[in-house]
Amino acid sequence: MSSSNSSASDRVPGSPLRRRTQFGTTPSGPAYMETYTTRRRELLNVLSRLHDTGIQNQLDLPCVAVVGSQSVGKSSLIESMSGLTLPRDVGTCTRCPMECRLQSGPTWSCSVSLRFEFDPRGRPLGSAKVVQFGPRITDRDLVEGVIRQAQRAILSNVQDVDEFLDQTDEVDLINGFQSFSKNCVCVDVQGPGVPDLYFYDLPGIIANVAEGGNQRDIKLVEELVKSYIKRPNCIILLVVSCETDYENQGAPRLVLRNRGVLHRTVGVLTKVDRIEPGGERKWLKMLRNELNRLDNGWFCVKQRDPAQLLANLPWDDARDEERKFFDETPPWNSLGQPHCDRVGSPALSEHLGWLLARLTEAKLPEVYTLVMERLPVVTRDLAKLPVQVHDSPKHTVTILLRGFSRLVSEHVKGKPPSSKAQKSGSSFDAGLRHCINKEYDQFRHRIHRTAPQFCPWASGQLNTVTPDMEQEASKLDASDGRCGPVFFIDQIKDLAERSRTKELPGNYPFSVKSDLIQDATEDWRKLATDCFEKVEALLRDHVDELVNRHFKLYMHGDLPSIVSEI
């Protein structure tokens, strides 16, 4: 049954509208509420711990993703639901996903951490690394600065975050920083009146970049958002501003171009207090789910206006102002049932929490089954890892390097090829010395081919040379495929006569032989250089393979690449 046809008897005070969706039917009856709230909190705690492991890179875990175009009031919406004050910069505020874990509690506190799941190129790491970013915060006024610095730490991709904790000055987010990152700032909030909810706040979709900005950021943000909304278990919170025409906002086009996501998309209208007089009609039709229909319908909220932001209006007072607006301002105060239950951030938070809890409850058995299926493979992979070093990492690395040095020495001296060398055809399996010797043999052959060819007749007598003369000459000096310079007897005599100075008759200076040798060996330097480069390449490839095999258990620490660079 759609929300537009629900009656007051179908609702439970403080709970979402009773309706049937993909995720089940809402709870009913006041007696159920205490058990329901406890159960929902337990489910969201389990989901939070699963995300901390980084398993979401391998499994599609349930989540809520907040998606909207830039400047639609997305950050203000997050503030109204969480009670936080988020950084507000000129241009794009959110430059990396922010994971918000909200939970009701007796006293207010907030914890910020960083979760690194991707390298600077956006490639998944082997495992997630969670880094606590400072102590738990009990003063709401400090949260904005801590989140700002946490985002800078993420964009710098530096996992030693202490330097960012101490920074209070403005840091240029252009020079030396990534524009955007897939890694997360995780914010855990507990306190009275805080809803039990778990969601990701994604960077706003941008249509243009500022002067000097990178045009690739437009595509980068779009791909980041797509990576979340394409997940079948992702509930999409689509944020649309009433200050701008629906058709001019990029987020709805990006999200709803795939009609298959309608069943897991919840719409929310922001900035309803800024609608031009007389322009409420189309937005009311969306709230009633009569226009741009979604299976989970639309909500609307009112956030703090610019004057209230400047005055830093407290969260509780902002909630009261929102409630007062919808109670006193037409046409919102005359919506009637059930649509009046779809206004205000508390109603939205409650509905999202219910959807996420029901989806988590439905998917946990599937997640458990997938984990148990992969457990044997992971266990075998873990068994291949080296023993963890506790006492002296430096000593362990020294032993590894000494063993590697001995291994390289054995291969350089000469090691018999393995039995599989002939089958594999690998130069490594054939042996280093064998491959180098083959290059030396080819070098000797190339040098031999440069030997000069001596012809015992004059250069002008080529037409009178008989086969018998060629046969006699070959006995004296076989060519053997030589391609070196050809010397005729008249040329050598002429060179010898022209080189004589004060020598006795019949004697010739050594420069004659020297000139002939230089002519015959002018290509030797190039041939030797070519041989050296080929042997060097063989040695490098062989050593790289030795590095990979000797340090294969330490791939996760990047030790092989460090050794290779040395």
Side-chain angles (χ1 to χ4, degrees), residues 14-17 26 33 36-37 40-41 44 64 66 74 76-84 100-104 193-199 235 237 266-268 296 298-303 315 319 322 341-358:
S15 73
L17 293 175
T26 59
M33 288 308 298
Y36 159 70
T37 302
R40 185 174 75 175
R41 187 171 301 164
L44 296 183
V64 174
V66 184
K74 193 161 53 66
S76 296
L77 174 63
I78 303 302
E79 291 178 345
S80 66
M81 291 194 296
S82 65
L84 299 174
C100 295
R101 309 172 190 177
L102 311 181
Q103 184 176 343
S104 179
V194 176
D196 294 314
L197 191 56
Y198 186 101
F199 59 87
I235 300 170
L237 179 59
V266 179
V268 57
N296 291 285
W298 290 85
F299 288 76
C300 67
V301 297
K302 177 198 176 296
Q303 303 103 316
W315 181 59
R319 281 282 183 94
E322 181 185 42
D341 287 318
R342 286 184 166 266
V343 298
S345 51
L348 174 63
S349 301
E350 177 66 23
H351 190 74
L352 287 174
W354 170 74
L355 284 177
L356 183 60
R358 293 303 296 263

Side-chain angles (χ1 to χ4, degrees), residues 16-28 32 36-37 39-44 47 62-64 196-197 233 235 296 350-365:
L17 293 175
R18 179 176 175 81
R19 57 175 296 175
R20 185 173 298 278
T21 70
Q22 177 209 12
F23 309 118
T25 305
T26 59
S28 62
Y32 183 83
Y36 159 70
T37 302
R39 176 62 174 166
R40 185 174 75 175
R41 187 171 301 164
E42 292 173 348
L43 288 169
L44 296 183
L47 186 61
C63 68
V64 174
D196 294 314
L197 191 56
N233 290 332
I235 300 170
N296 291 285
E350 177 66 23
H351 190 74
L352 287 174
W354 170 74
L355 284 177
L356 183 60
R358 293 303 296 263
L359 178 60
T360 302
E361 187 174 33
K363 294 298 180 180
L364 274 181

Side-chain angles (χ1 to χ4, degrees), residues 16 21 30 40 53 93 96 104 128 130-132 152 166 169 184 191 242 302 325 343 356 378 381 408 424 533:
T21 70
R40 185 174 75 175
T53 66
C93 298
C96 62
S104 179
V130 179
V131 181
Q132 187 64 33
R152 288 172 179 152
D166 299 332
D169 57 330
C184 283
C242 295
K302 177 198 176 296
F325 174 84
V343 298
L356 183 60
V378 174
D381 291 342
V408 172
S424 69
E533 290 175 350

Side-chain angles (χ1 to χ4, degrees), residues 388-415:
Q388 186 173 359
V389 178
H390 295 285
D391 298 332
S392 177
K394 182 178 180 180
H395 179 66
T396 302
V397 172
T398 301
I399 292 176
L400 282 171
L401 292 177
R402 286 177 179 174
F404 177 70
S405 178
R406 287 194 298 269
L407 187 62
V408 172
S409 179
E410 290 175 4
H411 280 256
V412 170
K413 290 179 180 178
K415 190 174 183 180

Side-chain angles (χ1 to χ4, degrees), residues 44 50 55 140 172 201 247 288 307 312 319 336 355 368 371 388 459 493 521 540:
L44 296 183
L50 285 173
I55 199 174
R140 293 182 189 233
D172 188 357
D201 178 25
E247 294 77 13
R288 296 188 183 106
N312 196 22
R319 281 282 183 94
L355 284 177
Y368 177 81
V371 169
Q388 186 173 359
S459 57
K493 286 182 177 180
T521 60
R540 286 184 177 275

Side-chain angles (χ1 to χ4, degrees), residues 228-289:
Y228 280 81
I229 65 177
K230 72 180 181 182
R231 303 173 187 174
N233 290 332
C234 176
I235 300 170
I236 304 167
L237 179 59
L238 177 59
V239 184
V240 173
S241 171
C242 295
E243 195 177 29
T244 307
D245 288 341
Y246 175 87
E247 294 77 13
N248 293 335
Q249 300 182 48
R253 289 197 303 272
L254 178 65
V255 173
L256 302 180
R257 68 176 56 168
N258 177 10
R259 307 299 291 179
V261 304
L262 290 177
H263 68 281
R264 53 185 177 89
T265 301
V266 179
V268 57
L269 304 176
T270 64
K271 302 184 180 181
V272 293
D273 54 324
R274 304 186 195 180
I275 300 175
E276 294 183 3
E280 297 92 349
R281 184 178 177 183
K282 64 178 179 180
W283 302 111
L284 286 172
K285 292 182 69 174
M286 288 181 64
L287 180 61
R288 296 188 183 106
N289 211 23

Side-chain angles (χ1 to χ4, degrees), residues 482-497:
R482 300 176 192 176
C483 56
V486 178
F487 295 114
F488 294 95
I489 192 170
D490 58 323
Q491 295 174 338
I492 294 177
K493 286 182 177 180
D494 178 64
L495 176 62
E497 289 295 337

